[in-house]
Amino acid sequence: MPTEDKNWSNRLFHTLNYSALLLVSIIMFIPFLYIVSVSFAAPEEVVKGGLLLFPTHFTLGAYKYIFSTDTMVRSILVSIYITVFGTFINLLLTSLTAYPLAKGYLRGRRTFLIMVLITMLFSGGMIPTYFVVKAFGMIDTYWSLMIPGAISAFNLIVLKNFFQQIPDGLEDSAKIDGCHDIGILFRIVIPLSMPAMATFGLFYAVGHWNAFFNAIMYINDSQKFPVQVILRQIIILSQDQIGDTASQQDPTDYLPQTIRMASIVIATIPIALVYPFLQKHFAKGVLLGSVKG
Amino acid sequence: MKKRFSVLAVSLLTAAAQLTGCAAGNGTANVPAQDEQQQLEVTIATPQIGEAPKKGNEIEQAIEKYTNTKLNIQWIPAAAFEDKKNIMLASSELPKAFKITWNATTLNAIQSGIFWEIGPLLKDYKNLSALNQLYYDNIKVDGKLYGLPLFRDIGRAGITYRKDWFDALGLKPPVTLDDWYNVLKTIAEKDPDKNGQNDTYGIFLDKSYNDPAASSSFLTRLAVSQGAPNKWGVEDGKLVPEFMTKPYLDSMKLLRRLFQEKLINQDFSVVQLADADNKWNVGKVGIRVNTVASAAATSQENLNKAVPNGVVDIAPYKGPSGNRVPAEPGNNGFFVFPKSSVKTENELKRLLAFFDKLLEPEMSTLLTRGIENKHYTKTSDGKAQFKDLALFNLEVKPYRDSLPSFEVTGTGLPLSMTDLQAKGWKVVADNLPNVVKNPALTLNSGTYSEKGNELDTMIRDAQTKFIMGKIDEAGWQAEVNRWKTAGGDKLIEEYTAEYAKKK
C-alpha cells in the first residue's frame, strides 16, 4: 500500500481496492488450483467429489497415462512450431502493412483503410473461406493454420496508430543519413515499437496456441493436429455418456476426470510460461529522450 | 544490425521454399470399376475414438488382407464433427463411406439425393440381411434405407442396484410404481450405509431424466415398464406423445411424491451426469438409473474403488405386464455412401461386401477382441480373455467402435465374462423381444424441425415444475394445452399423417 496516503478516504479507497482485487484474483486462481490438484490426486479421492484443493495422495498416474503414447508430445511440438513460426509471420506481415498505412503521404491510404475495416465487419463465412484455403493448396498443411488470419485487422489498426506516434523527426534524420524505407522500418521503427510488438506477439501467440477450429477444418491428417484438438478430444472422451459408448464395460485403470485435468495442465503450462519473458517489453518509456524537442 | 538482416532474409527464403513445396493438393485418385480380383480402395471418414491409430497398423493390415481392400480411414475429432461434416458435404470432398449420425443436416443431405440407396441391395449379403430388421427400420428416410448402421443394442435398459443393501433391507427389485415408492423410501430412510447420516438415495436423478430425444431417459424407461409408449404412442391411428398417457403421468406423480417427501435429491433439475455418477461411485445410491444393463460390471468396479465390499446386481425392468423396455435407436450413427465418390453401382456392391465381411467370425474376432496373444488369449474352454486392456483400448477399440461389430452377440470368439457381465448381457438379450418401438423415430415433421427445441423445452420445464410441486395437476394440463397450441397439435397432425403414409 502506498505510504503517501495521509487522509483516511484515500486509505479506505485503497483498502477496498486491494481487497476487491485480491478477491478477484482468488476467484480466478482457485479453479486453476483445483485443476492442478485433481490432475495429481488419486482416483479414490477425486471420486468422492467436492472441491479438492490439496490432494493428500499424490500420484502421477494421469500424466503417465497421457505420455504413454507420443500423441500429446507430438501435438505440443506441432503447436510450438505453429506458435513460434506463425507469430513471426503475423508480426512481420502486420508491421509491413501497418507502417505504410501510418504514413500520410501514401496514395489511396483511406481506401486501403476502409478495405481493412470492411473485413472487420463482414466475413465470407466458413465454407467460402474453406474454398479459398483449398484453392491455395493449403489443406492438410501447417500453412492453413498460419496464413489465413495472418493479419488481424484490429491489431493492424492499433499498430498503425502506434507507428503514427513515432516522431517524424526520427525518420527524417535516418533518411538524411541515407537509410531507405525498409531500413527505417526494421532498424528504427520496429525496435522502438517493442512494447507493441510484445503485446501483439502475445495476442497472436495465444491465438495460435489455442488454434482449434481451423485445425479441425483444414487438417485431415491426425498426425498433424495441434495440442488443443487432442485436448478437446480427451475431454470429450472422458465424459462417457450413456447411450453413446459401444459398451461401458471397458474397465478403466484410470479416472477420466484426472486425465482431463492433467491434459489441461499440460496444454496450458507452455503458453503460461511465455508471459514472464514478455513482461520486460511491456515497460514504457522506450521513446523517452530519442528526440530533442 | 546486418546480422539480423541476414537472419530475416534466410527465414523469409525458407518460408517461400516451404510455401512452394507444400502446395501440393491431396486428391484421391478415382478407381475405375474393376473386377473382384483387384483390390478395392475403401476410404472411410468417421469420428475419432480415443487416439487416432497410425496408418498401416496391424489391425488395418489384417482387415485389408482379409477383405482384399486398401483401407484409408480419416479420423475426425469428435469435438467439431458436425462442422467438419457440413464442410465436407458443401465441398463434396466425401469419402466412399461416411459415418454420420441422425440429425437435421444429415436428413437434408439424404433427402437431397447425394447418397446411394442401399435397401434393395442388402438381401444379397448374408450377414447384413440376417440382422434384426429394427436396426434398419430405425434409420429409414421416407421409407428408404440409405445407411448401414453402426450396430448397438436396442434394449439396453436394466435396473442396476446395490444387492448388499437390498438384501440387508429385505427388498426386491421394484415392479409396480408402489414397489418403486417403497424401495426408494426404505433406502432413503433406513441408512443402508450405516453411517448414521440421512445421506442415501434410492435413485439419484440428473437433469437428463426427461431428455425428450433419448429413449434412454429414466422417466421414459420407468413409464414404459408401466405400460406407456416409447416417446410416442399410437391410439386409434393417431400419434400421441408419451406425456399425454396415463402411465407416464403416474410415473411423474411418483417422482412428485418422492420429491415432496425428500426421498430423491432436491436439486435433480440441475445435476450433471458426472455428479450423479459420483454419487453412485461413493456408495450413496441404491439404484443407478443413468446406465445400461451391460455395464453392470463397470458400475460394480467404479463402486468398489470407494466401497470395497459393495455388491452390485442387475435386474430387468419389469412392470405389471412383465418385461417392457423402450427400444433405443440401435445404432451409433450409420455409414452413407456418397454418389460423388462411389461412382458405380458395382463399386457400391463391393463396398457393401466389404462391410458384410466385417461381420464374419474372423473379422468380428479381430474388431472386438483384437489379435490373439497380443490383446487376448484363448481360455481352455475356447473363449477370449483380454490380456492387456489398455493396449486393446488403444489399438483395437477405435476400430471396434467405428466399424460394424457386435461386441458380445456377434460371430466372433465368445468373451470370457464375469457372472455379472454375463447377467447384464443376458438382460440386454432378453429385452430384445420385449422392446417397445418409438413409432415417430423416423417420421419427419416440418413443425418439429422448426420449433422442436422450443416445444421440447416447454414440456421438460413443465415436467420439472410438476415434480417439484410448483404446479399441480391442473397446472400441468394447462402446460400441455399450451404446448398443443404452440405447435404440438400441428406436430401430432404431421406425425399422424406421415405414420399413415407408411402403413
Side-chain angles (χ1 to χ4, degrees):
Chain A
M1 202 178 280
T3 46
E4 66 270 12
D5 299 341
K6 287 284 181 286
N7 55 11
W8 64 269
S9 64
N10 255 357
R11 245 181 239 184
L12 181 70
F13 172 73
H14 277 299
T15 316
L16 287 177
N17 211 358
Y18 278 82
S19 346
L21 284 173
L22 189 71
L23 192 69
V24 171
S25 353
I26 288 175
I27 288 172
M28 294 191 176
F29 182 68
I30 281 192
F32 203 77
L33 183 65
Y34 170 75
I35 288 173
V36 175
S37 311
V38 171
S39 75
F40 285 114
E44 299 80 52
E45 209 172 358
V46 179
V47 158
K48 292 198 177 99
L51 187 65
L52 182 80
L53 291 183
F54 303 103
T56 45
H57 306 283
F58 190 81
T59 160
L60 287 171
Y63 291 90
K64 282 199 184 108
Y65 172 80
I66 289 174
F67 288 116
S68 62
T69 60
D70 62 352
T71 309
M72 196 69 166
V73 180
R74 196 186 49 235
S75 69
I76 287 181
L77 290 175
V78 167
S79 276
I80 290 176
Y81 170 75
I82 291 171
T83 305
V84 173
F85 195 56
T87 307
F88 171 75
I89 292 177
N90 287 138
L91 291 178
L92 182 73
L93 294 182
T94 311
S95 35
L96 279 177
T97 320
Y99 183 62
L101 290 175
K103 294 291 149 228
Y105 51 80
L106 175 77
R107 273 193 213 135
R109 173 168 167 239
R110 281 187 62 97
T111 322
F112 284 124
L113 276 174
I114 286 169
M115 283 158 86
V116 169
L117 277 171
I118 285 176
T119 64
M120 284 175 82
L121 303 173
F122 305 100
S123 75
M126 188 171 77
I127 288 166
T129 312
Y130 178 85
F131 281 127
V132 171
V133 173
K134 190 182 159 189
F136 277 97
M138 291 195 285
I139 297 294
D140 230 358
T141 69
Y142 295 137
W143 294 108
S144 62
L145 305 180
M146 298 191 276
I147 301 296
I151 301 176
S152 137
F154 180 78
N155 292 357
L156 176 73
I157 288 168
V158 178
L159 192 64
K160 172 190 87 81
N161 293 341
F162 193 92
F163 284 163
Q164 278 172 330
Q165 289 171 2
I166 294 178
D168 290 337
L170 266 179
E171 294 174 39
D172 293 343
S173 49
K175 273 215 172 88
I176 291 165
D177 292 343
C179 194
H180 46 75
D181 282 340
I182 290 192
I184 293 175
L185 173 64
F186 282 106
R187 293 180 182 202
I188 293 169
V189 176
I190 289 187
L192 286 177
S193 308
M194 268 310 158
M197 287 289 151
T199 313
F200 294 125
L202 187 70
F203 287 168
Y204 280 129
V206 171
H208 282 303
W209 187 261
N210 291 339
F212 163 74
F213 200 72
N214 283 0
I216 299 247
M217 291 297 113
Y218 306 132
I219 304 272
N220 296 326
D221 179 357
S222 42
Q223 304 286 308
K224 291 185 180 165
F225 282 139
V227 73
Q228 299 297 338
V229 176
I230 305 291
L231 182 65
R232 207 70 81 89
Q233 184 71 13
I234 289 177
I235 289 174
I236 284 207
L237 286 181
S238 46
Q239 299 165 322
D240 46 3
Q241 289 176 327
I242 169 184
D244 279 356
T245 41
S247 82
Q248 302 192 23
Q249 59 162 19
D250 305 329
T252 46
D253 41 2
Y254 54 85
L255 193 72
Q257 280 129 304
T258 58
I259 303 287
R260 210 184 309 171
M261 299 305 180
S263 12
I264 292 173
V265 171
I266 293 167
T268 316
I269 280 182
I271 198 73
L273 288 179
V274 172
Y275 282 85
F277 293 106
L278 287 175
Q279 182 61 36
K280 63 170 198 243
H281 292 292
F282 293 127
K284 278 203 192 107
V286 188
L287 292 171
L288 286 183
S290 56
V291 179
K292 290 199 171 75
Chain B
M1 280 302 173
K2 269 237 165 73
K3 214 171 171 180
R4 273 200 205 164
F5 247 134
S6 54
V7 168
L8 186 73
V10 167
S11 47
L12 271 176
L13 275 174
T14 43
Q18 282 205 27
L19 256 178
T20 44
C22 281
N26 57 339
T28 44
N30 281 324
V31 187
Q34 327 130 306
D35 57 325
E36 298 295 306
Q37 297 314 312
Q38 268 196 302
Q39 266 198 347
L40 172 76
E41 195 185 348
V42 179
T43 51
I44 294 175
T46 179
Q48 189 181 333
I49 312 274
E51 292 202 5
K54 301 229 177 359
K55 288 211 186 329
N57 59 54
E58 259 183 298
I59 307 289
E60 271 188 27
Q61 283 178 3
I63 297 175
E64 287 178 341
K65 202 170 134 205
Y66 186 85
T67 55
N68 187 25
T69 50
K70 180 85 198 68
L71 260 190
N72 184 355
I73 303 184
Q74 182 189 344
W75 304 94
I76 300 170
F81 180 79
E82 284 301 315
D83 292 300
K84 185 81 181 178
K85 179 181 92 179
N86 295 340
I87 287 239
M88 288 166 86
L89 288 172
S91 61
S92 296
E93 290 177 0
L94 293 163
K96 291 183 183 176
F98 196 5
K99 204 229 91 176
I100 53 183
T101 42
W102 185 279
N103 57 29
T105 46
T106 301
L107 196 64
N108 281 337
I110 290 176
Q111 285 176 322
S112 69
I114 58 172
F115 302 120
W116 286 95
E117 188 196 344
I118 62 168
L121 301 174
L122 277 193
K123 60 182 187 308
D124 304 333
Y125 302 95
K126 63 175 195 302
N127 301 318
L128 295 176
S129 58
L131 299 169
N132 189 323
Q133 206 50 43
L134 202 50
Y135 288 114
Y136 299 117
D137 288 345
N138 284 354
I139 55 166
K140 280 189 175 164
V141 177
D142 303 327
K144 288 182 182 155
L145 180 67
Y146 296 88
L148 191 64
L150 201 56
F151 308 100
R152 292 290 180 266
D153 298 296
I154 292 179
R156 302 169 61 160
I159 298 177
T160 307
Y161 65 100
R162 287 286 301 269
K163 189 161 170 37
D164 48 338
W165 289 7
F166 274 57
D167 289 351
L169 300 169
L171 298 168
K172 282 203 293 291
V175 177
T176 63
L177 288 178
D178 290 334
D179 294 347
W180 276 94
Y181 175 77
N182 292 328
V183 165
L184 301 186
K185 186 176 166 73
T186 312
I187 294 175
E189 291 176 350
K190 286 283 188 303
D191 192 27
D193 62 344
K194 308 249 183 315
N195 67 349
Q197 284 170 10
N198 187 5
D199 60 352
T200 47
Y201 293 98
I203 51 175
F204 195 87
L205 287 187
D206 63 73
K207 63 181 189 189
S208 66
Y209 80 101
N210 63 345
D211 185 337
S215 290
S216 56
S217 63
F218 172 64
L219 198 47
T220 298
R221 282 177 174 179
L222 179 66
V224 166
S225 74
Q226 304 301 318
N230 174 4
K231 297 291 171 196
W232 288 82
V234 183
E235 288 174 14
D236 317 326
K238 201 172 153 202
L239 265 82
V240 182
E242 58 183 357
F243 53 82
M244 285 161 80
T245 62
K246 187 177 177 307
Y248 194 90
L249 186 61
D250 290 343
S251 307
M252 275 168 52
K253 281 184 192 158
L254 169 74
L255 290 181
R256 179 185 169 103
R257 187 175 166 195
L258 290 165
F259 182 89
Q260 245 167 351
E261 299 177 22
K262 299 215 167 34
L263 302 177
I264 50 172
N265 49 314
Q266 303 289 294
D267 56 356
F268 70 94
S269 57
V270 291
V271 168
Q272 301 281 356
L273 187 68
D275 298 334
D277 284 345
N278 273 345
K279 278 284 182 222
W280 166 269
N281 295 343
V282 294
K284 296 287 172 216
V285 183
I287 299 177
R288 186 178 183 186
V289 293
N290 58 2
T291 178
V292 294
S294 49
T298 313
S299 296
Q300 163 105 37
E301 270 174 39
N302 293 347
L303 172 71
N304 288 159
K305 280 180 188 155
V307 189
N309 49 7
V311 186
V312 176
D313 202 359
I314 176 84
Y317 267 91
K318 284 202 173 124
S321 55
N323 179 232
R324 201 168 180 275
V325 290
E328 290 176 41
N331 66 68
N332 183 17
F334 44 89
F335 285 101
V336 286
F337 308 100
K339 288 174 181 168
S340 60
S341 46
V342 181
K343 299 276 186 235
T344 62
E345 185 154 331
N346 188 29
E347 197 180 352
L348 175 70
K349 283 179 176 163
R350 293 191 62 198
L351 259 184
L352 288 172
F354 161 78
F355 283 107
D356 192 54
K357 273 187 190 152
L358 293 181
L359 293 173
E360 282 169 15
E362 192 173 329
M363 283 293 101
S364 189
T365 301
L366 176 76
L367 290 176
T368 57
R369 313 283 177 254
I371 294 167
E372 190 171 2
N373 297 331
K374 187 174 181 187
H375 306 108
Y376 76 93
T377 49
K378 261 196 186 142
T379 57
S380 50
D381 56 353
K383 289 184 171 163
Q385 175 134 39
F386 285 124
K387 187 175 160 206
D388 182 348
L389 247 174
L391 193 68
F392 174 87
N393 282 341
L394 189 67
E395 294 181 348
V396 190
K397 190 171 184 275
Y399 295 95
R400 182 195 70 190
D401 291 355
S402 322
L403 292 170
S405 64
F406 287 92
E407 202 179 343
V408 167
T409 49
T411 51
L413 209 55
L415 187 63
S416 160
M417 297 193 274
T418 63
D419 293 349
L420 188 57
Q421 268 180 318
K423 210 169 164 183
W425 281 104
K426 190 175 176 320
V427 169
V428 174
D430 293 347
N431 277 343
L432 193 54
N434 305 324
V435 292
V436 179
K437 275 177 65 173
N438 171 1
L441 189 64
T442 59
L443 300 182
N444 309 326
S445 141
T447 309
Y448 194 79
S449 330
E450 199 183 320
K451 292 207 286 200
N453 282 346
E454 191 189 324
L455 291 170
D456 284 344
T457 310
M458 204 185 276
I459 283 296
R460 278 189 88 159
D461 292 348
Q463 283 170 343
T464 302
K465 277 188 200 148
F466 178 76
I467 290 166
M468 293 175 84
K470 287 185 179 158
I471 51 176
D472 58 3
E473 215 170 318
W476 161 250
Q477 285 308 337
E479 287 287 341
V480 171
N481 289 335
R482 211 163 67 91
W483 176 85
K484 284 165 84 172
T485 48
D489 275 332
K490 270 185 81 176
L491 179 62
I492 292 174
E493 227 170 277
E494 285 165 16
Y495 273 168
T496 304
E498 280 269 317
Y499 184 77
K501 257 202 307 203
K502 280 203 171 164
K503 274 285 156 237

